[in-house]
Amino acid sequence: ISFQQNPWSAKGHRKDLDEICRNVIGDMDAYGVCVVDNFLGEDKGKAVLKEVLQLYDKGVFRDGQLVSSRGSGDLKTIRGDQIIWIDGKEKSCNNIQQLISQVDAVVMRANRMTNNGKMGMYNINGRTKAMVACYPGLGSHYVKHVDNPNQDGRCITAIYYLNLNWNVRENGGLLRIFPEGWLGDKVADIEPIFDRLLFFWSDRRNPHEVQPAYDTRYAITLWYFDAKERAEACRRYEKERHS
Ligand SMILES: Cc1cc(NC(=O)CCC(=O)O)nc(C)c1Br
Ligand SMILES: [Fe+3]
């Protein structure tokens, strides 16, 4: 399946919540990956971008761990993204907060709409704060990894992209997902284009990488928790803490 031409993302065709949820449920159950284009519409999308650029200009972003690894003898940085955690109540983050509420609305409704109220057999009852990330270009990238390899409770990764007029051929920054179980080592290539919302299962089913970006590349990520897995992860954590 090529996400660039998914049928429901007809340019400019605004979708109601129900239709989006049906698409999310269908794609997550079928592929474990789902793309929703034109999620907020141009004006609201640009308002979110403006707030992110203001945060970036304020210099509040922190470098993601720069883990170097010995690649062919020379030291190379493993990731170049800079991040800041936002709960949305901060001043002048009102549009980021509205984005978060919109994504919550889709996830919580989809969770309720699926049979016996579970999407992918999860019962979603919470999420992390929003992680606003910027890849500063100059080849910054993120090596192949799994978001939640050890049952920490996160079941769905939601990423909202903000990059106007992004052209992967020139700017790179492609998100490549290697969905487990897809036939014939097919991959999902997701261009980080403006006003695009991406969902994928956070666990080992979806290893992914960000290919080197050659222009500043912004994204806002939310991770949603499965009640049961999260409770167990917290119990394990508490036990380790006291052991
Ligand atoms: C901090 C952190 C960021 C990410 N981000 C991506 O995988 C990039 C996705 C994209 O921007 O297209 N993943 C993990 C497991 C952690 Br931890
Ligand atoms: Fe990731």
Side-chain angles (χ1 to χ4, degrees), residues 49-242:
L49 174 59
K50 189 160 170 272
E51 284 177 1
V52 169
L53 293 173
Q54 280 166 348
L55 284 172
Y56 195 67
D57 291 344
K58 273 186 345 197
V60 292
F61 279 63
R62 289 284 158 267
D63 276 350
Q65 302 91 309
L66 284 178
V67 178
S68 335
S69 89
R70 291 223 162 277
S72 61
D74 63 327
L75 271 191
K76 65 182 167 56
T77 51
I78 284 282
R79 54 181 293 183
D81 60 337
Q82 299 164 310
I83 59 175
I84 175 172
W85 289 95
I86 293 281
D87 70 12
K89 299 180 191 62
E90 296 85 351
K91 64 184 185 315
S92 74
C93 286
N94 182 266
N95 288 288
I96 295 175
Q97 179 174 35
Q98 285 182 42
L99 163 72
I100 295 170
S101 317
Q102 291 291 343
V103 182
D104 284 350
V106 170
V107 172
M108 299 325 287
R109 186 173 176 76
N111 189 45
R112 277 194 306 277
M113 276 167 71
T114 44
N115 48 344
N116 64 54
K118 291 179 179 294
M119 178 169 36
M121 302 314 288
Y122 292 119
N123 173 21
I124 295 163
N125 71 335
R127 62 163 161 75
T128 64
K129 286 184 176 183
M131 186 192 75
V132 184
C134 170
Y135 287 77
L138 310 175
S140 55
H141 64 289
Y142 200 128
V143 288
K144 193 171 175 180
H145 66 279
V146 168
D147 283 2
N148 173 13
N150 307 312
Q151 289 78 39
D152 65 22
R154 292 177 294 165
C155 59
I156 293 182
T157 302
I159 308 179
Y160 181 72
Y161 293 109
L162 293 152
N163 307 295
L164 280 169
N165 314 315
W166 189 270
N167 176 340
V168 165
R169 270 154 298 289
E170 285 161 47
N171 310 129
L174 184 79
L175 172 73
R176 175 161 288 178
I177 308 178
F178 304 79
E180 188 191 75
W182 279 25
L183 298 180
D185 60 35
K186 276 179 85 59
V187 294
D189 280 350
I190 315 287
E191 303 191 7
I193 60 172
F194 175 74
D195 200 17
R196 166 169 283 181
L197 181 61
L198 165 70
F199 294 103
F200 57 88
W201 300 131
S202 309
D203 63 16
R204 292 170 188 267
R205 284 171 285 181
N206 288 315
H208 53 282
E209 67 186 8
V210 177
Q211 297 182 345
Y214 299 101
D215 203 340
T216 39
R217 175 191 186 277
Y218 296 99
I220 299 176
T221 304
L222 294 159
W223 283 280
Y224 287 86
F225 292 125
D226 167 62
K228 195 164 157 294
E229 183 179 316
R230 183 66 180 163
E232 272 157 24
C234 293
R235 255 197 301 283
R236 259 199 324 270
Y237 177 75
E238 278 308 304
K239 218 167 60 173
E240 277 153 21
R241 235 161 51 93
H242 300 304

